[in-house]
Amino acid sequence: MKRVILSAAALAIGSFAFAQTPQTIAPIVQQSSPTAAATIGGNYSDIDQKGVGSDATVQQQGTANASFIEQTGTDAGNRNNVDVLQWGNVVPTSLSGHLNYSDIMQNGAGNDFMATQQGDENEILGMQVGLDNSAIVQQGANVPQQAENNLAKVDQDGKDNFAEVQQRYDDNESSIFQRNDAAAGVGNRSFQSQEANPNQTAGHTAIGEQWGDNNESVQIQDSGSPALGGANYADVKQGDATTEASGAFAQQVQSGASNEAYATQYLANDTSYQEQLGSDNKAVVNQNTGGSSSGGDNLVEQYQDGDRNEARSTQNGNNNMVNQEQYGQDNYSRVSQGHGQVAGNMATSIQDGSLNHSVINQRANGNMSMVDQTGNGQTSLINQNAPLAGQPALTSGQNNATVIQRNANIALTPQARRAAATKRHSF
């Protein structure tokens, strides 16, 4: 077996550089009537409903259509709803299903809307204020619409909201913002699914943000095999800097090459799953970002199958766990676990291939780490017992570390490989 030893500084330097950084969602600026910023050209619909029990249905076919809908309801019947359909195939001789625009505003309790667009360069903006809201957006279909360069934004204020955005073909963008404080922004669910067909396949963007406790976010970006596409970007934030949140669930699944996934969770009892199938991908999770000593009991699982991938996890607090698996060549994994004043943290890194690098840094007391590497030219660095700033030496120690490095032709029982996509949520 070939052994490679590098210093911590050498491990910190390498080719694992990515241009993009985590993004943020700007609140929707709702338009109540046509403006110069709206795409208007063909048919035009403007519906303004006040009171209770209002329904709105809009169907527009062709190019450069615009639909504006505003509903304000009280609680009688607990029901306002909207159904918008803008459709038409994009074919070489026609631009039908192109440059359509839909703007939806709902105030009150029990609102829901469904918006569907076919074709290219369409936009949907939907805002809901109140309780128990539901929004479903569909842009494109697998056949026959191309559905490129579409934009969907959903903004929900309240608790127990549900938002789903499905986009097909390539180079689409989706954002879901479910907001309120920790008391009211509870139990929201968001689902974003983006699938690319092998036309231009420039990559999708999915951004989700949820405030409050016990929220769930799932982002699925499927580009097929790496040869057919990739360059997807997924970003989810659960909680905010002023109102810490707990009990969050996030899952990000990407296929293709050069994808990026970021998950940020702010306090305790949070779970994050990331799975990337392909090469040159990057997965990053940050939990208990405020570094609160009361935060902890968080879980991260990162799974990558391909070459030149990077997985990073950072956790603050107590009793946290990270599991990382990488299969392929020239992959890099890193775990940073801080605090650990009450109960230690655990980190596991499994790498199967060659020329892989694993780095684990754990602070304070009672931590456990395990590295299992199969193949040639592997590197493992574990740093434990780093004291907390301003704390006595008794807050550090009693750590445990295990490193197993085996050549691929050595008959030792490998770690069990986790099945892909086993953690996917379905709503």
Side-chain angles (χ1 to χ4, degrees):
M1 180 191 305
K2 181 180 179 181
R3 300 181 61 191
V4 178
I5 300 177
L6 296 179
S7 67
L11 284 173
I13 301 174
S15 59
F16 304 103
F18 290 79
Q20 289 180 306
T21 57
Q23 301 179 15
T24 58
I25 298 177
I28 292 176
V29 178
Q30 205 72 28
Q31 300 182 77
S32 59
S33 61
T35 69
T39 301
I40 302 173
N43 300 308
Y44 162 67
S45 173
D46 190 351
I47 299 174
D48 189 354
Q49 297 175 318
K50 306 293 182 180
V52 299
S54 299
D55 298 326
T57 299
V58 176
Q59 295 189 7
Q60 296 173 317
Q61 184 177 22
T63 301
N65 298 307
S67 170
F68 295 82
I69 299 175
E70 182 173 356
Q71 295 178 322
T72 301
T74 59
D75 195 13
N78 194 35
R79 170 184 161 269
N80 288 323
N81 64 76
V82 169
D83 190 347
V84 176
L85 172 62
Q86 295 173 318
W87 84 100
N89 297 339
V90 176
V91 295
T93 59
S94 172
L95 287 179
S96 181
H98 185 240
L99 291 174
N100 291 309
Y101 179 85
S102 176
D103 190 305
I104 300 167
M105 174 67 179
Q106 295 179 314
N107 292 301
N111 297 311
D112 67 270
F113 75 79
M114 177 178 292
T116 303
Q117 293 176 324
Q118 299 173 353
D120 297 344
E121 298 184 87
N122 299 305
E123 293 186 15
I124 293 176
L125 303 181
M127 176 178 286
Q128 296 174 317
V129 179
L131 304 178
D132 306 317
N133 293 306
S134 174
I136 298 178
V137 174
Q138 173 81 48
Q139 290 180 313
N142 290 328
V143 290
Q145 295 80 25
Q146 291 183 14
E148 297 174 336
N149 300 304
N150 291 306
L151 172 66
K153 291 187 175 182
V154 178
D155 189 318
Q156 296 175 318
D157 193 339
K159 65 179 181 179
D160 296 324
N161 296 306
F162 172 75
E164 177 176 338
V165 176
Q166 296 187 24
Q167 295 173 317
R168 299 294 179 262
Y169 231 83
D170 54 51
D171 203 20
N172 297 306
E173 180 178 345
S174 163
S175 71
I176 296 176
F177 193 179
Q178 295 170 319
R179 56 197 168 88
N180 215 310
D181 57 27
V186 177
N188 297 307
R189 296 176 298 153
S190 70
F191 180 80
Q192 293 164 289
S193 175
Q194 298 171 319
E195 296 184 8
N197 286 337
N199 183 16
Q200 297 177 2
T201 58
H204 297 296
T205 296
I207 304 176
E209 185 167 348
Q210 297 171 317
W211 295 0
D213 297 333
N214 302 318
N215 294 313
E216 299 181 7
S217 177
V218 176
Q219 298 172 323
I220 310 294
Q221 296 175 318
D222 186 359
S223 296
S225 66
L228 297 180
N232 295 304
Y233 177 91
D235 192 346
V236 59
K237 294 181 180 66
Q238 294 172 310
D240 68 290
T242 58
T243 307
E244 296 173 334
S246 62
F249 175 92
Q251 181 178 23
Q252 297 165 308
V253 179
Q254 297 174 317
S255 68
S258 301
N259 297 307
E260 295 188 44
Y262 297 89
T264 302
Q265 298 171 317
Y266 275 76
L267 190 57
N269 296 299
D270 297 325
T271 300
S272 182
Y273 296 105
Q274 293 178 322
E275 178 181 314
Q276 294 175 321
L277 306 178
S279 298
D280 299 300
N281 296 310
K282 182 177 184 179
V284 178
V285 176
N286 293 296
Q287 293 180 321
N288 190 12
T289 56
S292 171
S293 60
S294 63
D297 297 300
N298 296 310
L299 171 65
V300 173
E301 292 199 7
Q302 296 172 307
Y303 179 100
Q304 294 176 318
D305 193 342
D307 300 330
R308 298 175 304 280
N309 292 313
E310 178 179 356
R312 291 178 178 264
S313 294
T314 300
Q315 296 175 317
N316 292 305
N318 305 282
N319 201 34
N320 297 305
M321 179 181 295
V322 173
N323 296 318
Q324 295 177 326
E325 291 186 43
Q326 294 177 316
Y327 299 90
Q329 298 183 14
D330 203 20
N331 294 309
Y332 177 83
S333 70
R334 187 181 188 93
V335 177
S336 297
Q337 293 175 318
H339 293 82
Q341 304 94 323
V342 180
N345 299 304
M346 178 179 291
T348 301
S349 174
I350 299 174
Q351 295 177 318
D352 190 340
S354 60
L355 301 175
N356 294 311
H357 307 274
S358 171
V359 179
I360 296 176
N361 292 312
Q362 295 174 317
R363 302 185 71 183
N365 184 60
N367 298 300
M368 297 181 63
S369 62
M370 197 278 285
V371 178
D372 190 314
Q373 296 173 318
T374 301
N376 294 317
Q378 315 283 21
T379 301
S380 172
L381 173 63
I382 297 176
N383 181 23
Q384 294 176 316
N385 208 34
L388 294 169
Q391 298 293 318
L394 292 178
T395 61
S396 302
Q398 300 180 8
N399 298 303
N400 182 282
T402 301
V403 176
I404 302 173
Q405 293 178 316
R406 63 188 101 205
N407 198 288
N409 59 8
I410 300 299
L412 297 177
T413 302
Q415 292 290 325
R417 181 168 181 167
R418 187 176 299 111
T422 56
K423 304 296 183 181
R424 179 176 299 184
H425 253 36
S426 59
F427 293 144

